[in-house]
Amino acid sequence: MECISVFDMLKIGVGPSSSHTLGPWRAAERFIKELKEKEILDHINRIKVDLYGSLSLTGKGHATDLAVMLGLSGADPEYIPVESIDVIISAIKNKNELFLGNEIIIPFHVDTDIIFNREFLPFHANGIKFTAFTTDSEYENTYYSIGGGFVVVEERINSAANEEIKCAFPFPIDKASELLAYCQSQNKKVWEIVYENEKSMRTETEIHNELMRIWDTMLECMYIGCHSEGILPGGLNVRRRAYDMHKNLIGVLPYDSPYSWMQIIRQTEVKFRQILKWVSCFALAVNEVNASLGRVVTAPTNGSAGVIPAVLMYYLVIENHQANEQQIKQFLMTAGEIGSIFKKGATISAAMGGCQAEIGVSSAMAAAGLCEVMGGTPEQVMVAAEIAMEHHLGLTCDPIGGLVQVPCIERNTMGAIKAINAAELALETDAKNTKVPLDKVVNTMWETAKDMNTKYKETSEGGLAVGVNLADC
């Protein structure tokens, strides 16, 4: 049984895509680590990168090539100053050189050393192969970016050695029914079960600090997005909308930091239309930052990164002005656990499951987190997640131009609103009367994913991606 931590589901990284940017970036880092372990890094004179399937078809729009170069350079997506990304990429392109692993300089020609192969590898839609050459030998390995920044190699998945990865959690969970059984037998809330599992790997202080670092990153991302105007990169000429929407909502009230900004928002008008606009504004802000290679939290992916921050922000500035760090942690732990159930039972990769695997899962995570902090029972938390996903089933992934912009950015607003609605419905529901358990929805999502035509799975070969072309934009 695989142990998936909250911090596996909520990762800090750089946009625009967890599977097409963060995953390949991490794969490049892993390859460099292997070269060091084999003590051949110093002898490398060339690196070749082959991108396959979805990574190839939409790689340019998702900055996959840039992510690979940054990873091979030894940069860390979690900590690299985002303003230095263009500097590193420009230096590689202008000098035709790569500072491999931040240790040796080798020739690197972007046009010939990164190869876009349209064919799909059999194991997963997002395949990437690295080949390192020395004077008299070569070393290669193939990785698969399976969504949410997770990277695997096929050999490890299929090997007996994988059986050694036993779950050390006191409450190992694969299915929602198991989580619910623990809550009932231990008389605990969902977040309390998750917390006990996390404590088997980290101290309480470490858990607190890391959860708050995740929230601070989310808050800063919303703040930056609401205060940035202009056109998003990529060629679609998409104008940022969070800036104008925020300006109309906030008025002239003064503030000077993300936290004082939260206090000011609490003083604004909160009629129904304003609530819709605020939640949408928060979600737009995050995904506009994501689309411009900014720092976001994958939740569970970059393309769906705006849903959870928007719903949690709604709770903090509109629903409960007395909420504090404890509620933030409870929300994130609950959301993370629901995300892990979808990852184990289905997928969080749009290349495998369409957008239902990204926005659908993020909406279910957010609905569960909101229901938890609003006093829902464990049974109602499961209902909230089920309702949110049920109404995203079959959602395709067909980004125009292969960019995480249209319709991706707006979809985060829809996922956030659905999550709030799902939580409210769940809170008014007697769980004994529900007809569809969460595990059934997880299974159905996976079956739907397998039935979905490949052109609607992040390949930009169908739907809006071909119905609307760049000339229209």
Side-chain angles (χ1 to χ4, degrees):
M1 181 177 289
E2 184 182 8
C3 287
I4 298 181
S5 166
V6 170
F7 305 113
D8 293 322
M9 299 306 302
L10 304 173
K11 301 186 185 78
I12 298 173
V14 172
S17 170
S18 53
S19 60
H20 287 57
T21 314
L22 182 58
W25 193 326
R26 290 301 190 194
E29 289 182 307
R30 283 180 57 172
F31 188 66
I32 294 297
K33 182 180 179 182
E34 290 176 20
L35 296 179
K36 291 180 179 179
E37 291 172 347
K38 294 181 178 297
E39 299 182 349
I40 58 175
L41 179 68
D42 293 340
H43 305 287
I44 302 301
N45 55 41
R46 185 191 170 206
I47 292 279
K48 183 181 71 159
V49 183
D50 284 278
L51 303 175
Y52 293 93
S54 182
L55 288 185
S56 171
L57 292 168
T58 61
K60 288 288 186 181
H62 289 75
T64 305
D65 49 347
L66 308 187
V68 166
M69 288 186 276
L70 291 164
L72 291 174
S73 300
D76 188 328
E78 193 167 341
Y79 296 103
I80 182 176
V82 292
E83 61 272 12
S84 70
I85 290 177
D86 285 341
V87 176
I88 296 173
I89 297 300
S90 296
I92 294 171
K93 291 181 176 179
N94 293 334
K95 297 180 180 179
N96 291 319
E97 290 180 343
L98 181 70
F99 198 12
L100 188 64
N102 201 31
E103 292 190 16
I104 65 168
I105 295 176
I106 64 169
F108 191 84
H109 299 269
V110 176
D111 293 337
T112 56
D113 289 331
I114 299 180
I115 303 169
F116 292 80
N117 303 278
R118 293 180 64 87
E119 64 265 28
F120 286 72
L121 298 180
F123 180 68
H124 192 279
N126 293 332
I128 179 170
K129 181 174 73 173
F130 295 91
T131 307
F133 300 87
T134 67
T135 303
D136 54 7
S137 66
E138 63 183 65
Y139 172 77
E140 69 176 39
N141 204 354
T142 301
Y143 306 87
Y144 299 90
S145 178
I146 61 174
F150 290 88
V151 176
V152 300
V153 293
E154 184 175 0
E155 291 76 12
R156 180 176 173 195
I157 289 294
N158 293 331
S159 70
N162 192 51
E163 296 300 319
E164 299 175 4
I165 307 174
K166 298 295 183 181
C167 195
F169 285 171
F171 303 109
I173 298 162
D174 269 348
K175 298 180 178 180
S177 57
E178 295 169 344
L179 172 58
L180 189 56
Y182 289 133
C183 291
Q184 293 168 341
S185 65
Q186 301 295 315
N187 193 28
K188 291 182 181 292
K189 303 280 284 183
V190 171
W191 76 266
E192 291 176 308
I193 295 294
V194 180
Y195 192 41
E196 291 302 315
N197 282 343
E198 293 296 332
K199 286 193 293 184
S200 70
M201 296 188 294
R202 298 173 177 84
T203 66
E204 293 186 14
T205 298
E206 289 172 336
I207 295 169
H208 170 84
N209 291 342
E210 192 63 16
L211 285 172
M212 293 313 300
R213 187 166 77 96
I214 286 169
W215 166 243
D216 286 341
T217 303
M218 289 179 171
L219 177 60
E220 182 180 37
C221 186
M222 286 184 281
Y223 187 81
I224 291 171
C226 284
H227 296 84
S228 300
E229 56 182 331
I231 304 296
L232 294 174
L236 287 182
N237 296 316
V238 173
R239 178 178 172 80
R240 291 176 181 260
R241 283 182 287 174
Y243 178 87
D244 290 331
M245 184 177 288
H246 172 262
K247 187 176 180 180
N248 291 333
L249 288 165
I250 199 72
V252 296
L253 298 173
Y255 55 90
D256 57 10
S257 70
Y259 276 90
S260 64
W261 178 56
M262 287 177 63
Q263 296 299 326
I264 290 300
I265 295 173
R266 286 172 172 165
Q267 301 175 32
T268 61
E269 188 177 40
V270 288
K271 293 180 180 178
F272 182 69
R273 287 186 66 197
Q274 279 70 35
I275 293 173
L276 286 177
K277 290 178 182 179
W278 270 120
V279 174
S280 297
C281 182
F282 299 144
L284 288 174
V286 171
N287 285 84
E288 287 173 355
V289 170
N290 178 66
S292 56
L293 277 77
R295 178 160 284 115
V296 301
V297 176
T298 63
T301 67
N302 283 39
S304 60
V307 176
I308 287 174
V311 175
L312 181 48
M313 188 71 159
Y314 155 80
Y315 175 73
L316 295 172
V317 300
I318 294 174
E319 185 62 38
N320 183 4
H321 291 187
Q322 281 69 52
N324 54 35
E325 291 180 347
Q326 183 61 26
Q327 283 77 40
I328 293 172
K329 293 188 293 184
Q330 291 172 7
F331 186 108
L332 294 176
M333 283 189 282
T334 302
E337 186 59 47
I338 295 301
S340 75
I341 289 171
F342 276 98
K343 183 184 183 301
K344 293 171 184 174
T347 181
I348 57 171
S349 167
M352 292 296 288
C355 199
Q356 60 173 354
E358 297 204 19
I359 292 296
V361 173
S362 64
S363 185
M365 293 168 68
L370 182 59
C371 187
E372 178 81 345
V373 296
M374 291 180 68
T377 65
E379 292 82 1
Q380 288 173 323
V381 170
M382 303 301 145
V383 172
E386 174 269 314
I387 293 173
M389 171 52 78
E390 188 176 40
H391 301 289
H392 282 95
L393 288 173
L395 187 62
T396 58
C397 179
D398 43 4
I400 297 173
L403 296 164
V404 193
Q405 296 182 19
V406 181
C408 320
I409 295 174
E410 282 183 355
R411 280 188 180 168
N412 280 264
T413 71
M414 299 298 139
I417 296 300
K418 282 186 181 181
I420 295 171
N421 196 8
E424 291 292 350
L425 284 172
L427 289 168
E428 297 297 326
T429 297
D430 184 340
K432 295 193 298 293
N433 297 327
T434 57
K435 304 300 182 184
V436 184
L438 178 56
D439 286 326
K440 290 290 185 181
V441 170
V442 175
N443 293 339
T444 300
M445 193 268 267
W446 182 228
E447 291 302 319
T448 305
K450 289 186 289 185
D451 289 340
M452 190 179 290
N453 191 299
T454 301
K455 68 183 182 181
Y456 297 116
K457 295 182 182 180
E458 207 170 7
T459 60
S460 287
E461 294 182 316
L464 283 176
V466 297
V468 181
N469 57 48
L470 292 178
D472 295 324
C473 301

